[in-house]
Amino acid sequence: MFPYSNDVDYQCWLNYQRLETPSLSDQYKEYLKNIVINIDGYIIDSIKNELYYSIKKFFNIEAIITNKPIKRTFTIISKLDGGSFFSNTIKEEEYTSLSEEGFLIKKVENSTKKFILITAKSDEGLLYGTYKLIQNIQMEKPLDQLNLLEKPYIPLRIINHWDNLDGSIERGYAGKSIFYRNNELVDNLDRIRDYARLLSSIGLNGIVLNNVNVKSEETKLIAERINIVEKLYDVFKRYGIKIYLSVNFASPMIIGGLKTADPLDKEVRKWWKERVDFIYNRIPDFGGFLVKADSEGQPGPFTYNRTHVDGANMLAEALAPHGGLLIWRAFVYNCYQDWRDNETDRAKAAYDTFMPLDGKFLDNVIIQIKNGPMDFQVREPVNPLFGGLQKTNQILEFQITQEYTGQQKHLCYLVPQWKEVLDFDTFLFGEGTSVAKIVSGSIFNSPNFGIAGISNIGDEINWTGHTLAQANLYGFGRLAWDPSLSGKKIIEEWIKCTFGNNETVLNNLSEMMLKSWNIYEKYTAPLGVGWMVNPGHHYGPNVDGYEYSRWGTYHKADHYGIGVDRTLKSGTGYTAQYRQQNFEKYEHLDSCPDELLLFFHHVSYIYKLSNNKTVLQHIYDTHFEGVEDVQWLIDKWQGLERYIDSKRYSSVYQRLLEQRESAKEWRDVINSYFYRKTMIYDEKRRKIY
Ligand code: GCV
């Protein structure tokens, strides 16, 4: 029986603490003593285990699980078609509005019995409903209000792992892989099972098991090392999570002995078909492939003068008979490109590559698009492919792992950033075509749309290194399920389930979390310009550190001004990739939002922002404020010392101290760089090092 470790930090939001209100605890307990489950299956077994375990932890009782009620009061988990006994308690409209993965939770009372009902059309729906009921208990929601109908807004909700078989994780900041060690699967799979529990408790339904940069050992996962995948499949399927693999486009050459990987070559096509048949023979519910092609050294169809359509469709054809999906990343750019002509612009690459291909991909191909046009910077505009593509399935890709946002040493709750992306109006089909709406697939009438997040977990006992970074994993799942949830609502849920229902903790911590992205932004690269990090590992300040800057600094700072002119009028023309309303907004200085000013425009340091401050004074001020704000975070956290167990308290505290030192370094490096460039004093005459 789980969990693999009893450490409270390990349990994350599933730590099932005793309720603080005894009367409510008694009410719930009455219903949960007898659990009625009248169906079988491996997902159903997971439901039974989770209920049994949580009830034991919440109430210190052993629930009796039966297939018929043995008491007058009970909780029943049953499919919608599960018999007449409760069917007249469900209204017609409830029945029709439940989707395949949705669920209904109700409290029912009549003269002979009282029960909580969890019902759904699928086992997955029942599992999600079970976690919801458990969450309601943990959040001490009154039992009387128990009447919930939920369904996910976005069909594909996938976590991506950049784990390698040797146990390393690309851009991982919380230890090694929980899956692999020394080119083998780890021996004990219990921790992986607990990870599956965490993922399905927030409604995720897919996982990519290996890094998109696929090296030779990982290439064998679709051949002689398939047993590793099979074992992982056996864990994840029990939690309704489909598995996907990243594949190397040159696999036919690396492991197939062919002389080419040309997607139009007959032998290559046959080879992939046989590989896919082989996989489905072993893993009947296999989700499909994820491919990074022609990007950062990965092979792709360009080698053979073929297009991304040729490459993606070839793989999709092999997967289609099995219902598999081919997810192809739009993160395609030439990192060696010479941008001195002022038109060449990395930000334009994804749109330039994929827009001409719109409508040419097969139905089971999905283009996975990073939230911004560059690479997960602290602030970027929304990728214009959202709002561009009209006839192509799309997945939105977020980075949960904090590569550019403090590497889980800094506190940076990313949900507010993701919300801005999801709420962004692309104007694709007129006003109101938000990114969330696009990736829900509803306007395209297709289930092959979704959201993906690069995982932030590793084998550190608390999964994410920084305890508070658990909230990013939690928030990613919750937003994927329901993008209309606010950052505040999500963080409050997370705090209650992770730390309990104490008011002071809830207030202080939610304020800290909600401000943290903004604080991080203040002391790092200003006004949306991005980068300014050390090359390679991407931690800490380095104003000219962009690794592909052989053609000049990325931010184009000189003595007079800073920023990248991406306007149509005088710059790279990137602004023209947006629909008219957004084009107008970004093209013109007076309408461009301050926070993205330097992403879109090159301006003088004395250019005035909307608050009447000059760009330079803004840089100075925000960098001083950023450090002060980190001190504020520390003070707030110190105010919680007596409410939080010492282990979690002190590990977060240590990281906040590290954040303060790093923020000071950022402040000093950035401010002195711009002071030396401009020789313009800080108006407040603060000391600039
Ligand atoms: C997996 C960025 C990261 C790389 C990552 C790449 C990608 O460039 O620095 O580590 O590679 O994005 O998303 O493919």
Side-chain angles (χ1 to χ4, degrees), residues 63-173:
I64 302 170
I65 302 181
T66 52
N67 55 13
K68 283 202 186 101
I70 54 167
K71 293 177 185 292
R72 204 184 143 254
T73 309
F74 53 93
T75 293
I76 177 161
I77 288 131
S78 180
K79 288 269 193 59
L80 266 183
D81 56 9
S84 55
F85 135 74
F86 65 86
S87 55
N88 51 4
T89 65
I90 299 170
K91 297 189 199 115
E92 182 65 28
E93 65 268 23
E94 289 172 335
Y95 188 88
T96 44
S97 65
L98 264 183
S99 68
E100 199 51 31
E101 291 180 295
F103 60 80
L104 174 69
I105 306 180
K106 267 192 153 181
K107 187 167 143 299
V108 184
E109 198 165 341
N110 60 33
S111 54
T112 53
K113 47 191 181 275
K114 287 199 303 189
F115 57 94
I116 296 172
L117 163 69
I118 303 179
T119 188
K121 289 184 175 160
S122 64
D123 291 4
E124 287 82 354
L126 293 177
L127 182 64
Y128 299 141
T130 301
Y131 278 117
K132 193 52 162 192
L133 175 66
I134 292 173
Q135 189 192 54
N136 267 264
I137 300 171
Q138 184 68 91
M139 291 173 64
E140 307 204 4
K141 295 233 174 123
L143 192 53
D144 286 339
Q145 291 168 18
L146 207 57
N147 194 350
L148 288 164
L149 190 150
E150 281 200 21
K151 54 190 169 182
Y153 186 72
I154 295 176
L156 299 164
R157 306 176 300 280
I158 305 178
I159 191 105
N160 287 194
H161 277 262
W162 287 354
D163 296 31
N164 303 309
L165 276 180
D166 63 7
S168 62
I169 304 177
E170 184 152 351
R171 310 303 176 188
Y173 308 107

Side-chain angles (χ1 to χ4, degrees), residues 153-156 367 369 386 393-398 422 433-444 446-452 479-480 483:
Y153 186 72
I154 295 176
L156 299 164
I367 302 300
I369 306 165
F386 297 112
N393 303 325
Q394 296 155 62
I395 284 179
L396 163 65
E397 181 180 306
F398 285 135
L422 287 159
T433 323
S434 66
V435 171
K437 207 170 198 179
I438 291 173
V439 297
S440 77
S442 58
I443 39 179
F444 301 87
S446 162
N448 293 341
F449 278 76
I451 186 163
L479 274 186

Side-chain angles (χ1 to χ4, degrees), residues 162 170-171 211-213 292 295-296 329 331 333 346 370 375-376 397 399 403-404 454 531 536 538 547-548:
W162 287 354
E170 184 152 351
R171 310 303 176 188
N211 189 358
V212 284
N213 291 327
K292 171 176 176 178
S295 171
E296 298 183 334
R329 289 176 92 222
F331 184 62
Y333 74 102
R346 172 175 166 182
K370 289 193 183 187
D375 195 4
F376 302 133
E397 181 180 306
Q399 194 179 42
E403 177 177 2
Y404 292 99
I454 316 302
W531 307 104
H538 297 159
E547 45 256 276
Y548 306 119

